[in-house]
Amino acid sequence: MSNKRFNRGQATLASIHGHVGEGVMRTLQDVAPDFARMIVEFAYGDVYARGVLSPKERQIATLSSLVTLGHAPTELKAHIQGALNVGCTRQEVVEVIMHMAVYAGFPAALNGLLVAKGLFEELDGPRP
Amino acid sequence: MSNKRFNRGQATLASIHGHVGEGVMRTLQDVAPDFARMIVEFAYGDVYARGVLSPKERQIATLSSLVTLGHAPTELKAHIQGALNVGCTRQEVVEVIMHMAVYAGFPAALNGLLVAKGLFEELDGPRP
Amino acid sequence: MSNKRFNRGQATLASIHGHVGEGVMRTLQDVAPDFARMIVEFAYGDVYARGVLSPKERQIATLSSLVTLGHAPTELKAHIQGALNVGCTRQEVVEVIMHMAVYAGFPAALNGLLVAKGLFEELDGPRP
Amino acid sequence: MSNKRFNRGQATLASIHGHVGEGVMRTLQDVAPDFARMIVEFAYGDVYARGVLSPKERQIATLSSLVTLGHAPTELKAHIQGALNVGCTRQEVVEVIMHMAVYAGFPAALNGLLVAKGLFEELDGPRP
Amino acid sequence: MSNKRFNRGQATLASIHGHVGEGVMRTLQDVAPDFARMIVEFAYGDVYARGVLSPKERQIATLSSLVTLGHAPTELKAHIQGALNVGCTRQEVVEVIMHMAVYAGFPAALNGLLVAKGLFEELDGPRP
Amino acid sequence: MSNKRFNRGQATLASIHGHVGEGVMRTLQDVAPDFARMIVEFAYGDVYARGVLSPKERQIATLSSLVTLGHAPTELKAHIQGALNVGCTRQEVVEVIMHMAVYAGFPAALNGLLVAKGLFEELDGPRP
């Protein structure tokens, strides 16, 4: 049954982050393998997989929380990519981050937008 | 033109909070009337009224941020009501708050759920 | 197997919070029963039950985090009681909270101490 | 010498909070007397007494931090009173709190303003 | 009229940040041009331009909030420079950041001081 | 007597951080020498030296707070090393950080684990 949670978590994780998610899990393998398992089983297998909200709505919630926290730019970048993967447009991502200025303040929103800008530029590759 | 921002803000505010929003504005009148105007003009007139995200998606973003902040239960309650007003179900509201356990921790989510529970009970009135 | 996690979680929860923990779970039953189950299964069944740290050391970690967050006085009170239940002295609880002044600032520590004071007075009952 | 720090701290504390400061210290006496002493010696004797900034400027800094933290309304109220005591006008206090909307978000500023409003109403006494 | 807010904002922004402020706005142009406009119109045109507090007092409030947030070192650096530009001495800047140890904890203050140190060294150029 | 606090602080600092602590103090010398002294006298001389908690228990409290704050990775790294120095095993350090997922959220814990991983790799040196 734990296996079931892990498998469901891995499928959800892959549907949001593609192969990138595996990298994070590998990074944790030598220092805290059980934590990697908890991320898959609990965060993705128990929470993200619950339905009720659409994948897009869950990413909006995630982005909002990460921008508000302010201290997790790497996770924010991964979840902006995840938001694009599940169907958010870039404009919607930018809009969610801008919305945070009202609640978490302008610096949190500004830094979130710079993370988005950085990812968008990576995705677009070098200009010709 | 500022008038335009104020009018647009008031309309957006009313579409989310109904007449309750006016109460908050009145409370601020004697201590910081300009702040009341900024909430209407900037938060609701400039940000909430931008479109791109649906009203429901904006409330998901707002709830996520308020639960993550953890220190604004009164605003959270107002925005849970607002979320219901723009079409979120109670189950969706609860789901957004539960989702926050992953990012903001269990106490923030737990306290958010207790705020939701309190509002739902008020809305349902006394049991027969 | 999920049953195993739940049972282990309930045993751990009871060893820290006694019957009080059940009250919180009941409070959540009508609004978010799955969240109550997650608290038992994940927080207590997966994390608290891991060993490595002694129950007392886990409570020191929990108190430190809750004082630092600053926005969860009810959980803090429950975990101060939990710390006493697993063998911390009142003096040790007070010391952990005072230690937080260095990292989370004096207001967070002061408010934590007032929560501790309130609980200690409840435990001591009315003075003769 | 510690005596010197304590005396200097008590004088500074009294110059900001008047007799109210003593109340907080008494409240801490039975639960954490050393913490009360640290507040006087370190916060008021070492930090507030340093000069360089005027008492008014220090209160602006303190109010800004407390509004940003969001979780210490009781301390905020005490320091709004302290700001008035060292020469800030009510309008300046309100302005500092409004300024925080930009950095800490609207809910933090709104809640700070409501604390100020509550104190101002207490100071004004019942309306005739 | 919005033009009026923008012009007022740009003048205030320039009086605090000189030409550096323009760089941030340009950085935002392709990802979130409306956010750049909001910073100018709302933060600088509506809030900073209000008077009541002196420019120096506003910078003290801003530095205090940014140090307390802890997650915006780039904005903190820009506003330390801004504080110097509106008449704060280096010693006053350092003093405001040190004051934050009491409210936001030592790590927040320490990291703020390291940002100040970095800027001061840049300003002084290479030692002969 | 202040000398006594300083000497006691330096001894405590050295017992936790070895010679590394001196480096931080030197870094602060030109920008804020009094703050360096406050860290030694207050944080280490007054708080850490109080006893009641074992050095290991104090490090558990410190790590928990720093992971919860989320914005002080450099201090976190120094205190992970400090925890090892006073007798925590790597496994215990990892466990404290994992425990924070419940209270401060997964991103705070994940980033804390990556800091630990980085330090452990430095300590182990290059693989043969």
Side-chain angles (χ1 to χ4, degrees):
Chain A
M1 179 105 150
S2 167
N3 231 25
K4 224 167 150 181
R5 293 173 67 227
F6 188 83
N7 294 342
R8 188 175 56 220
Q10 252 189 341
T12 312
L13 180 66
S15 74
I16 297 170
H17 297 294
H19 289 299
V20 178
E22 294 168 26
V24 178
M25 298 307 130
R26 250 196 318 275
T27 304
L28 287 169
Q29 276 320 320
D30 52 339
V31 69
D34 291 356
F35 192 72
R37 202 170 39 72
M38 279 179 190
I39 292 178
V40 176
E41 287 180 359
F42 175 70
Y44 290 96
D46 288 352
V47 179
Y48 272 90
R50 285 173 57 77
V52 182
L53 301 170
S54 69
K56 190 176 151 183
E57 287 167 339
R58 286 208 182 261
Q59 286 309 114
I60 290 172
T62 300
L63 296 185
S64 302
S65 186
L66 289 171
V67 171
T68 302
L69 288 172
H71 61 54
T74 309
E75 289 238 332
L76 178 59
K77 187 180 163 189
H79 277 285
I80 292 173
Q81 178 67 72
L84 300 176
N85 292 347
V86 302
C88 289
T89 65
R90 289 188 186 189
Q91 203 194 352
E92 286 168 336
V93 164
V94 164
E95 199 66 33
V96 169
I97 303 177
M98 284 175 64
H99 191 80
M100 290 302 104
V102 177
Y103 296 99
F106 276 76
L110 173 57
N111 287 325
L113 289 170
L114 295 179
V115 170
K117 180 186 160 83
L119 176 67
F120 296 166
E121 286 174 356
E122 278 180 39
L123 294 173
D124 292 338
R127 304 210 182 156
Chain B
M1 180 107 150
S2 167
N3 231 24
K4 224 167 149 182
R5 292 171 68 226
F6 188 83
N7 292 343
R8 189 175 56 219
Q10 251 190 340
T12 312
L13 180 67
S15 75
I16 297 170
H17 297 294
H19 290 299
V20 178
E22 294 169 26
V24 178
M25 297 308 130
R26 249 196 319 274
T27 305
L28 287 169
Q29 274 321 320
D30 52 338
V31 70
D34 291 355
F35 192 72
R37 203 171 37 73
M38 280 180 189
I39 293 178
V40 176
E41 287 181 358
F42 176 71
Y44 290 96
D46 288 351
V47 179
Y48 271 91
R50 286 173 56 78
V52 182
L53 302 170
S54 71
K56 189 175 152 185
E57 287 167 340
R58 286 211 182 258
Q59 287 309 114
I60 291 172
T62 299
L63 296 184
S64 302
S65 186
L66 288 171
V67 171
T68 302
L69 288 173
H71 59 56
T74 309
E75 288 238 331
L76 177 59
K77 187 178 162 190
H79 277 284
I80 291 173
Q81 178 67 73
L84 300 176
N85 292 347
V86 302
C88 288
T89 65
R90 289 188 186 189
Q91 204 194 351
E92 286 168 337
V93 164
V94 164
E95 200 66 33
V96 170
I97 303 176
M98 285 176 63
H99 191 81
M100 289 303 103
V102 178
Y103 296 99
F106 276 75
L110 173 57
N111 287 325
L113 289 170
L114 296 180
V115 171
K117 180 187 162 83
L119 176 66
F120 297 165
E121 286 173 356
E122 276 180 42
L123 294 174
D124 292 338
R127 305 208 183 158
Chain C
M1 179 108 148
S2 166
N3 231 25
K4 225 167 150 181
R5 291 172 70 226
F6 188 83
N7 293 342
R8 188 175 56 220
Q10 253 191 339
T12 312
L13 180 66
S15 75
I16 298 170
H17 297 293
H19 290 300
V20 178
E22 294 169 25
V24 178
M25 297 308 130
R26 248 197 319 275
T27 305
L28 287 169
Q29 275 321 321
D30 52 339
V31 70
D34 291 355
F35 192 72
R37 203 170 38 72
M38 280 180 189
I39 292 178
V40 176
E41 287 180 359
F42 176 70
Y44 291 95
D46 288 351
V47 179
Y48 272 90
R50 286 173 57 77
V52 182
L53 301 170
S54 70
K56 190 176 151 182
E57 287 168 339
R58 285 209 183 262
Q59 286 309 114
I60 290 172
T62 299
L63 296 185
S64 302
S65 186
L66 289 171
V67 171
T68 302
L69 288 172
H71 59 55
T74 309
E75 289 238 333
L76 177 59
K77 186 179 163 189
H79 278 284
I80 292 173
Q81 178 67 72
L84 300 176
N85 293 346
V86 302
C88 289
T89 65
R90 289 188 186 189
Q91 204 195 350
E92 285 168 337
V93 164
V94 165
E95 199 66 33
V96 169
I97 303 177
M98 284 176 64
H99 191 81
M100 289 303 103
V102 177
Y103 296 98
F106 275 76
L110 173 57
N111 288 325
L113 289 170
L114 296 179
V115 171
K117 180 186 162 84
L119 176 66
F120 297 165
E121 287 173 356
E122 277 180 40
L123 294 174
D124 292 338
R127 304 206 184 161
Chain D
M1 179 106 150
S2 166
N3 231 26
K4 224 165 147 183
R5 292 172 68 226
F6 189 82
N7 293 343
R8 190 174 55 220
Q10 252 190 340
T12 311
L13 180 66
S15 74
I16 298 170
H17 297 293
H19 290 300
V20 179
E22 294 168 26
V24 178
M25 298 307 130
R26 250 196 318 273
T27 306
L28 287 169
Q29 275 320 320
D30 53 338
V31 71
D34 292 355
F35 192 73
R37 203 171 38 73
M38 280 180 189
I39 292 178
V40 176
E41 287 180 358
F42 176 70
Y44 290 96
D46 288 352
V47 179
Y48 272 90
R50 286 173 57 77
V52 182
L53 301 170
S54 70
K56 191 176 150 183
E57 287 168 339
R58 285 209 183 261
Q59 286 310 114
I60 290 173
T62 299
L63 296 185
S64 302
S65 186
L66 289 171
V67 171
T68 302
L69 288 172
H71 58 55
T74 308
E75 288 239 332
L76 177 58
K77 186 179 163 190
H79 277 285
I80 292 173
Q81 178 67 74
L84 300 177
N85 293 346
V86 301
C88 289
T89 64
R90 288 189 186 187
Q91 203 194 352
E92 286 168 337
V93 163
V94 164
E95 200 66 33
V96 170
I97 303 177
M98 284 175 64
H99 191 81
M100 289 303 102
V102 177
Y103 296 97
F106 276 76
L110 173 57
N111 287 325
L113 289 170
L114 295 180
V115 171
K117 180 186 160 83
L119 175 66
F120 296 165
E121 287 173 355
E122 277 179 42
L123 293 175
D124 291 338
R127 306 211 183 155
Chain E
M1 178 110 149
S2 166
N3 231 26
K4 223 166 149 183
R5 293 171 66 227
F6 189 81
N7 293 343
R8 190 174 55 219
Q10 253 191 338
T12 312
L13 180 66
S15 74
I16 297 170
H17 297 294
H19 289 300
V20 178
E22 295 168 25
V24 177
M25 297 308 130
R26 250 196 318 274
T27 305
L28 287 169
Q29 275 319 321
D30 53 337
V31 71
D34 292 354
F35 192 73
R37 203 170 39 73
M38 279 179 190
I39 292 178
V40 176
E41 287 180 358
F42 176 71
Y44 290 97
D46 288 350
V47 179
Y48 272 90
R50 286 173 57 77
V52 182
L53 301 170
S54 70
K56 190 175 151 184
E57 287 167 340
R58 286 212 183 258
Q59 286 309 113
I60 290 172
T62 300
L63 296 185
S64 302
S65 186
L66 289 171
V67 171
T68 302
L69 289 172
H71 60 54
T74 308
E75 288 239 332
L76 178 59
K77 187 180 162 189
H79 277 284
I80 292 173
Q81 178 67 73
L84 300 177
N85 293 346
V86 302
C88 289
T89 64
R90 289 189 185 187
Q91 203 194 351
E92 286 168 336
V93 164
V94 164
E95 200 65 33
V96 169
I97 303 177
M98 284 175 64
H99 191 81
M100 290 301 103
V102 177
Y103 296 99
F106 276 75
L110 173 57
N111 288 325
L113 289 170
L114 295 179
V115 170
K117 181 186 161 82
L119 175 65
F120 296 165
E121 287 173 356
E122 277 179 41
L123 293 174
D124 291 337
R127 305 208 184 159
Chain F
M1 178 106 150
S2 167
N3 230 27
K4 223 168 150 181
R5 293 172 67 227
F6 189 83
N7 293 342
R8 188 175 57 220
Q10 252 190 339
T12 311
L13 179 67
S15 75
I16 298 169
H17 296 293
H19 290 299
V20 178
E22 295 169 24
V24 178
M25 296 309 131
R26 249 195 319 274
T27 305
L28 287 169
Q29 275 320 320
D30 52 339
V31 70
D34 291 355
F35 192 72
R37 202 169 41 72
M38 280 179 189
I39 293 179
V40 176
E41 287 180 0
F42 176 69
Y44 290 95
D46 288 351
V47 179
Y48 272 90
R50 286 174 56 79
V52 181
L53 302 170
S54 71
K56 190 177 150 183
E57 287 167 339
R58 285 210 184 260
Q59 287 309 113
I60 290 173
T62 299
L63 296 184
S64 302
S65 186
L66 289 171
V67 171
T68 302
L69 289 173
H71 59 55
T74 309
E75 288 239 332
L76 177 59
K77 187 179 164 190
H79 277 284
I80 292 173
Q81 178 68 72
L84 300 176
N85 292 347
V86 301
C88 288
T89 65
R90 288 188 186 189
Q91 203 194 352
E92 285 168 337
V93 163
V94 164
E95 199 66 32
V96 170
I97 302 177
M98 285 176 62
H99 191 81
M100 289 302 103
V102 177
Y103 296 98
F106 276 76
L110 173 57
N111 287 325
L113 289 170
L114 296 179
V115 170
K117 179 186 161 83
L119 176 66
F120 296 165
E121 287 173 356
E122 277 180 41
L123 294 174
D124 291 338
R127 307 212 182 155

